[in-house]
Amino acid sequence: MTADLFEAVPDVRPSREALADGAVLLRGFAKPFENEVIAALHEIIAQAPFRRMFTSGGHQMSVAMTNCGNAGWVTDHSGYRYDGIDPNSGQPWPAMPGVFCQVAEQAAAAGGFEGFAPDACLINRYAPGARMSLHQDKDELDFTAPIVSVSLGLPAIFLFGGPKRADKPNRYRLEHDDVVVWGGPSRLFFHGVAPLADGEHAVMGRQRINLTFRKAR
Ligand code: SIN
Ligand code: FE2
């Protein structure tokens, strides 16, 4: 009877799931990097705090954002772009920490994309209720490089569609340490995040943080 207590509980979630041709969900992939990633994240947000940006149409996004790396994704009244300078501070974005490059490069390789060297990491913070509507990541110059997305904190429903906005998206639950990689045939597929359900995460508290790595330039 006591022996049963020590038997591993089987994880019912498969460790990898194909979302589309070129797209894969790697469950728990960021676990070995987690502590270092979170420590580096704290340093980044001390230099470049989260802010809720405005779209060119004048709507304030529900997701708060910041960036690290040589290029940061920004949106304002003039539209979307990558910019080397944080418009709030007038300074360059914080450098991409080594551990960020490592997790992104290794996840990309596990997804079939060897040699991924991101120059931009968009950091999204979702409070309960925050969402991201369906969109394509198409502001980058080089579509041969994949997108690598690392989830931390509260679980979210990730919507992954197809090449057309009207393609009905499938829904995937992304948990702490899960990584999604999409590139090649699905590089420009529409994706988004459903409104975040409220909760309290043991490590991250009442929020979800997502790191999306890109080769922007
Ligand atoms: C994004 O598409 O930039 C974010 C996706 C996510 O938060 O999982
Ligand atoms: Fe995106």
Side-chain angles (χ1 to χ4, degrees):
M1 180 189 160
T2 43
D4 291 350
L5 291 172
F6 298 100
E7 272 172 26
V9 178
D11 188 347
V12 291
R13 303 188 311 152
S15 65
R16 92 184 262 145
E17 185 173 353
L19 310 191
D21 195 8
V24 67
L25 164 51
L26 305 167
R27 292 197 173 88
F29 192 90
K31 183 84 198 155
F33 306 90
E34 174 189 326
N35 290 343
E36 258 192 272
V37 164
I38 293 170
L41 188 58
H42 285 302
E43 288 182 30
I44 291 164
I45 60 185
Q47 287 179 63
F50 285 114
R51 77 291 305 263
R52 286 176 57 207
M53 299 185 200
F54 288 86
T55 65
S56 57
H59 296 286
Q60 192 172 22
M61 299 185 77
S62 61
V63 177
M65 298 176 167
T66 187
N67 291 277
C68 68
N70 290 337
W73 187 87
V74 291
T75 171
D76 60 18
H77 62 275
S78 64
Y80 312 129
R81 67 183 179 280
Y82 280 98
D83 200 319
I85 301 294
D86 175 352
N88 284 22
S89 67
Q91 296 295 120
W93 296 104
M96 181 103 63
V99 67
F100 278 33
C101 298
Q102 277 172 29
V103 67
E105 197 252 334
Q106 290 182 34
F113 302 94
E114 294 286 343
F116 180 49
D119 59 3
C121 175
L122 172 64
I123 306 171
N124 295 314
R125 178 186 182 273
Y126 297 74
R131 60 190 287 273
M132 195 173 289
S133 53
L134 284 179
H135 66 278
Q136 294 168 294
D137 291 356
K138 59 174 186 191
D139 301 324
E140 300 72 30
L141 289 180
D142 178 6
F143 295 143
T144 63
I147 301 287
V148 173
S149 150
V150 175
S151 291
L152 296 170
L154 289 175
I157 301 298
F158 182 59
L159 310 169
F160 198 76
K164 297 192 295 290
R165 186 179 292 280
D167 294 329
K168 191 176 170 1
N170 289 121
R171 299 163 69 87
Y172 302 91
R173 183 183 161 95
L174 299 186
E175 296 189 8
H176 188 60
D177 291 327
D178 287 351
V179 179
V180 184
V181 178
W182 65 96
S186 48
R187 174 62 182 74
L188 291 172
F189 277 20
F190 280 86
H191 59 279
V193 177
L196 193 79
D198 202 355
E200 183 72 27
H201 186 268
V203 178
M204 301 299 292
R206 198 177 173 208
Q207 63 180 344
R208 168 175 187 261
I209 289 185
N210 171 264
L211 315 175
T212 30
F213 294 93
R214 298 102 187 272
K215 178 92 183 73
R217 290 168 166 176

